[in-house]
Amino acid sequence: MKTQLFLSSAAVAITLAACGPAEDAATPTDAETSAATETRETAAAEATNPLLAEWDTPFGAPPFSQIEEAHFLPAFDVALASHREEIDAIASNDAEPTFENTLLAMENAGADLTRISRVFFNLTSSASNDEIRAIQREMSPRLAAHNAAITLNADLFARIETIYNTLDERDLTAQQRRLVEVTYENFTRAGAQLEGDDRERFAEIRSELAGLYTQFSQNEQADREAWTLSLSEEDLADLPAYIVSAAAGAAADRDIDGHVVTLARSSVEPFLQTSPNRELREEAWRAWYSRGSNDNANNNADTIRQILALRREQAEMLGYESFSHYRTGGTMAGTPQAALNLMEQVWWPARERALEEAADIEAMIAADGLDHELEGWDWRYYTSQVRAERFDLDESVVKSYFQLDKMIEAQFYVAERLFGVRFNERTDIDTYHPDVRVWEMLDANDQVVGLFYGDYFARPGKRGGAWMSSFRAQNGINGDIPIIVNNCNYNKPAEGEPALVSFNDASTLFHEFGHGLHGLLSSTDFPSLAGTAVDRDFVEFPAQIYEHWLEQPEILERFAVHYETGEPIPADLLERLMAAGTFNQGFATVEFLNSGFVDMAYHLHEDPMSLDIEAFEAEVLESRQNLPQIPMRHRSTHFLHTFAGEGYSSGYYSYLWAGVLDTDGFEAFREAGDIFDPEAAQALYDSVFSAGNSEPAMDAYVGFRGREPRVDALLRDRGFVEAEG
Ligand SMILES: [Zn+2]
């Protein structure tokens, strides 16, 4: 569900340590000495540091077996310095600014910094440890300062502005023109037009924020990893076998005897769905929703206030009414109001449905002869019972038809049918962990046009959720193929057992692979326009539309086969599974919107330092008559989307926005009567999957669909309005 989208290549490359080393030196002697020392150390570092050497590996993939933590800081030092030199050379060029000597030169600058950053930040998410966390704490603010120094480089901006202001007089291709426009906009949004003290303060804010984002996510991780719930023999007896086995695996991972539930969503959520022990459910539920808000050193309340205040200050400096106005200004939605309108349109029908779901659950509690109120920790448990009763879907039976390996095959099969690409596993390519698998992507001419890494299992040191990121973006200038990675957090099965996943897990797999294909199929002229470097409220569209193929009988009958017998999923089970698709959508939509509304409200608030985080959450939720049993999907103090970075800050609504696009978009295939309709697939490839940010998002969508998106299909898909005919 959650994607970690790295900055586009140029944005990562836009990085420059703010210090001027020569000016810092007190005397010429000091300067000479320090320069000499620096040269010596740099030379030594370059000679032995694999991060700075050419990667003589298949497709230039990262040589993980040679990379050690100790290589990162010296490599970053060298790469930052060389990027700074490259940028200085562009900015101080005496020649008149041209596309080639400015924009193209910027695209090509910072190659080392980009590849080192991508390797490093993938490790911080997927294979972190104390050493990596320490480097991350040091590097995040330095990289932010480096970025800021580039966007605030007045000479550089003057060149970009000159080109931007004379676009019509220049003979540029459509993508060259687009690159100029996007770069100009990125610079102005990053404060390039600021002057004097404002510039300095702006850079300071960027750097402080970067440090706070790291702190926020490390606090969440610390709280999440500190908690486990040990299960007794008696507790285990009531749980399905797959949960018992996962609990044994989780305990073994942590060198604990017996069985534990952890706060990874893949562990705690199934437990909440299946444990009849109401007290344990409450304990797990409270721990899960309290991450970051406990009375300990990991409390994120103050981190949130500081982040919000700095974001507001930054937005005001740029002339925006609020951070929300600033953020939505650069998206497909355009304004906070447009995003809020969409959420409101869906909220009331969703809430209505959630109330009906609550009534069903209350009836079951009464039927069990119990007289307690319906609480948050009851919802998932009874819902899975209602679900089991109404659709007769036993999660462990369903899971026996969803083998992870088969679902991986299915995601590749859909790509082949839609886009004509094939995937071959490679076992000769270095990975950062033995669980990671690598495939090459071949086009119709059997050329390798991409590398794909799949890192599917949860483990300590890996953050929660699922995401796509990249080790290298498609590069239309030098012909580099993209290197893309998907991360999920499925429970690793015990040795010798197959990995079985839930239907939801399989959807997540398809979702992330949709992002993956957006990177892999990219075919743009410039890395800054490649793949997922699109508007944030458009970026989920390729991922979410891809989920629809998993739901098609044509795919499930073929790939959802029993792990022991190989029998395809029985027709009646498939029918019930599909019918269950709209089930509990009231809850799912309400918990999502709760997070969306709170995210938006925070960033419209005028005085964030005064906020009492928990009271503010409650106030926002109550203002729309929220159901008390449905909290935010991600409560503020562990709302990584919003506070661990800026990807989804004031932008959590994007998932819903993309939901409108994906349901409306998939209708194109339904209308054609063929889920692989070649014409629709070609349009989807041309305007979306291969197009990156080569045109504005709305134009891309209209290019694919022939018209602007409509909300009808989403309301129908979620069962909030009657389907026609
Ligand atoms: Zn996503």
Side-chain angles (χ1 to χ4, degrees):
M1 182 272 347
K2 152 85 173 161
T3 31
Q4 167 81 15
L5 295 162
F6 284 105
L7 299 168
S8 67
S9 146
V12 169
I14 293 176
T15 330
L16 206 303
C19 61
E23 287 153 18
D24 289 345
T27 68
T29 317
D30 285 352
E32 276 160 28
T33 311
S34 100
T37 311
E38 202 170 76
T39 310
R40 235 182 4 256
E41 283 172 358
T42 300
E46 280 177 87
T48 57
N49 194 324
L51 290 169
L52 294 165
E54 185 154 338
W55 291 348
D56 185 17
T57 50
F59 315 106
F64 287 109
S65 56
Q66 298 168 35
I67 298 171
E68 289 163 18
E69 284 86 346
H71 292 134
F72 281 105
L73 281 179
F76 269 122
D77 286 343
V78 172
L80 282 166
S82 70
H83 189 218
R84 185 166 53 218
E85 276 168 29
E86 288 167 320
I87 291 295
D88 285 348
I90 298 167
S92 61
N93 192 341
D94 291 334
E96 281 299 301
T98 63
F99 179 85
E100 284 71 22
N101 73 20
T102 306
L103 276 301
L104 185 63
M106 286 169 67
E107 285 292 287
N108 287 326
D112 272 353
L113 183 59
T114 301
R115 66 178 187 158
I116 295 164
S117 298
R118 284 173 189 251
V119 168
F120 180 72
F121 286 104
N122 273 290
L123 294 181
T124 64
S125 297
S126 305
S128 194
N129 57 39
D130 287 345
E131 218 173 329
I132 287 190
R133 277 187 282 270
I135 301 169
Q136 188 183 5
R137 277 192 297 274
E138 172 169 350
M139 286 314 301
S140 291
R142 281 182 65 193
L143 288 167
H146 180 85
N147 277 331
I150 293 177
T151 41
L152 298 178
N153 182 320
D155 293 337
L156 183 64
F157 180 64
R159 297 179 73 85
I160 296 166
E161 197 170 31
T162 301
I163 298 167
Y164 178 81
N165 287 336
T166 52
L167 269 179
D168 290 337
E169 298 154 28
R170 291 169 192 266
D171 186 20
L172 298 178
T173 66
Q175 287 202 33
Q176 287 173 334
R177 200 183 159 99
R178 177 77 179 151
L179 182 64
V180 175
E181 289 165 350
V182 168
T183 308
Y184 176 79
E185 192 183 320
N186 286 344
F187 269 68
T188 51
R189 291 175 55 80
Q193 283 164 318
L194 296 176
E195 287 176 0
D197 290 350
D198 279 356
R199 278 180 167 251
E200 223 156 277
R201 176 60 191 149
F202 194 83
E204 223 172 76
I205 291 175
R206 302 297 311 153
S207 164
E208 276 178 50
L209 278 172
L212 287 165
Y213 298 155
T214 302
Q215 188 188 327
F216 186 91
S217 76
Q218 292 187 352
N219 283 344
E220 187 277 337
Q221 189 177 6
D223 258 12
R224 176 161 44 81
E225 293 191 347
W227 188 94
T228 54
L229 176 67
S230 289
L231 300 174
S232 68
E233 287 302 321
E234 200 186 341
D235 301 328
L236 293 170
D238 292 327
L239 297 170
Y242 73 93
I243 295 190
V244 174
S245 141
D253 272 349
R254 287 162 183 74
D255 290 327
I256 300 174
D257 286 335
H259 299 76
V260 296
V261 177
T262 74
L263 294 183
R265 184 178 282 272
S266 60
S267 175
V268 68
E269 204 163 38
F271 178 76
L272 291 171
Q273 285 163 351
T274 54
S275 173
N277 186 329
R278 191 164 189 250
E279 275 153 39
L280 288 188
R281 286 204 310 266
E282 178 175 357
E283 194 181 331
W285 189 92
R286 286 190 186 281
W288 194 30
Y289 283 107
S290 304
R291 281 169 293 141
S293 68
N294 294 305
D295 189 11
N296 63 21
N298 308 323
N299 192 297
N300 265 329
D302 200 49
T303 324
I304 292 174
R305 281 187 286 270
Q306 291 180 56
I307 288 173
L308 290 171
L310 288 168
R311 284 178 176 170
R312 188 168 184 92
E313 185 182 348
Q314 175 193 338
E316 283 172 353
M317 288 175 81
L318 296 175
Y320 291 90
E321 198 178 322
S322 74
F323 187 77
S324 280
H325 289 82
Y326 164 63
R327 287 302 287 174
T328 50
T331 66
M332 195 170 170
T335 63
Q337 202 49 52
L340 282 166
N341 287 348
L342 174 70
M343 290 198 279
E344 291 281 355
Q345 264 187 65
V346 179
W347 169 258
W348 295 103
R351 178 181 172 278
E352 207 53 39
R353 174 51 48 92
L355 287 169
E356 291 165 16
E357 291 165 3
D360 284 347
I361 297 172
E362 279 159 355
M364 288 192 81
I365 294 174
D368 278 356
L370 301 170
D371 60 359
H372 64 72
E373 298 275 308
L374 166 61
E375 298 283 359
W377 46 93
D378 299 318
W379 194 291
R380 286 178 177 81
Y381 176 70
Y382 283 99
T383 296
S384 60
Q385 303 217 340
V386 176
R387 190 178 143 100
E389 192 170 280
R390 188 170 304 167
F391 305 103
D392 195 19
L393 290 171
D394 176 338
E395 188 69 14
S396 56
V397 172
V398 173
K399 271 194 162 186
S400 61
Y401 289 96
F402 286 89
Q403 302 168 64
L404 176 59
D405 283 351
K406 280 286 171 189
M407 291 300 111
I408 293 171
E409 263 181 57
Q411 72 180 9
F412 291 155
Y413 172 80
V414 171
E416 183 171 354
R417 292 290 306 273
L418 286 173
F419 305 123
V421 287
R422 288 179 303 109
F423 289 80
N424 270 339
E425 186 152 12
R426 300 273 304 226
T427 51
D428 57 335
I429 290 174
D430 258 8
T431 61
Y432 52 89
H433 188 277
D435 285 350
V436 181
R437 298 171 67 184
V438 186
W439 290 266
E440 60 187 11
M441 183 178 84
L442 302 155
D443 67 7
N445 304 317
D446 277 345
Q447 292 299 306
V448 176
V449 288
L451 273 192
F452 174 69
Y453 294 48
D455 182 352
Y456 295 115
F457 298 119
R459 60 174 174 263
K462 182 170 174 179
R463 72 175 171 77
W467 64 95
M468 165 271 193
S469 61
S470 67
F471 290 109
R472 191 168 72 201
Q474 176 256 336
N475 187 324
I477 304 169
N478 66 14
D480 274 351
I481 61 170
I483 305 179
I484 303 299
V485 55
N486 273 180
N487 271 272
C488 298
N489 265 286
Y490 305 134
N491 291 309
K492 192 173 175 180
E495 193 68 40
E497 285 177 32
L500 300 178
V501 296
S502 68
F503 183 67
N504 266 344
D505 289 341
S507 286
T508 303
L509 186 81
F510 268 62
H511 178 104
E512 298 311 333
F513 192 63
H515 283 307
L517 284 172
H518 199 193
L520 287 164
L521 296 171
S522 177
S523 177
T524 59
D525 294 345
F526 305 106
S528 290
L529 299 180
T532 53
V534 298
D535 288 350
R536 186 196 44 212
D537 53 2
F538 188 61
V539 78
E540 292 302 324
F541 169 54
Q544 292 185 188
I545 193 172
Y546 209 71
E547 294 175 41
H548 287 266
W549 276 276
L550 171 66
E551 294 160 13
Q552 306 310 309
E554 202 171 331
I555 299 303
L556 290 173
E557 282 160 8
R558 187 178 176 123
F559 294 97
V561 297
H562 196 276
Y563 77 102
E564 280 171 327
T565 65
E567 290 290 316
I569 188 165
D572 71 308
L573 177 57
L574 180 56
E575 206 171 289
R576 282 180 278 120
L577 188 62
M578 291 303 100
T582 57
F583 178 68
N584 206 37
Q585 279 298 306
F587 173 90
T589 307
V590 163
E591 71 161 358
F592 168 84
L593 285 171
N594 282 341
S595 283
F597 283 124
V598 171
D599 168 43
M600 201 55 91
Y602 272 135
H603 295 98
L604 290 165
H605 197 274
E606 287 172 18
D607 182 18
M609 283 312 278
S610 72
L611 286 174
D612 173 332
I613 299 303
E614 294 202 13
F616 186 70
E617 271 183 2
E619 184 190 317
V620 173
L621 301 190
E622 278 158 22
S623 72
R624 287 182 187 80
Q625 300 165 45
N626 181 46
L627 286 68
Q629 301 90 351
I630 311 184
M632 298 164 69
R633 181 172 171 85
H634 309 279
R635 289 194 59 206
S636 309
T637 54
H638 47 260
F639 200 170
L640 297 165
H641 296 75
T642 297
F643 296 119
E646 277 171 22
Y648 291 85
S649 55
S650 197
Y652 192 65
Y653 78 88
S654 309
Y655 288 98
L656 184 70
W657 190 271
V660 171
L661 303 183
D662 79 67
T663 46
D664 184 61
F666 193 72
E667 289 282 297
F669 292 89
R670 286 219 174 99
E671 287 160 8
D674 174 3
I675 62 166
F676 297 117
D677 180 66
E679 211 174 302
Q682 188 66 46
L684 186 61
Y685 173 84
D686 289 342
S687 293
V688 180
F689 276 89
S690 71
N693 194 20
S694 58
E695 60 179 341
M698 188 59 89
D699 296 353
Y701 189 84
V702 172
F704 154 54
R705 195 68 173 98
R707 58 163 175 75
E708 293 199 356
R710 298 175 189 152
V711 73
D712 320 27
L714 176 126
L715 294 178
R716 199 173 58 236
D717 259 33
R718 296 195 180 186
F720 300 160
V721 295
E722 294 285 312
E724 291 163 32

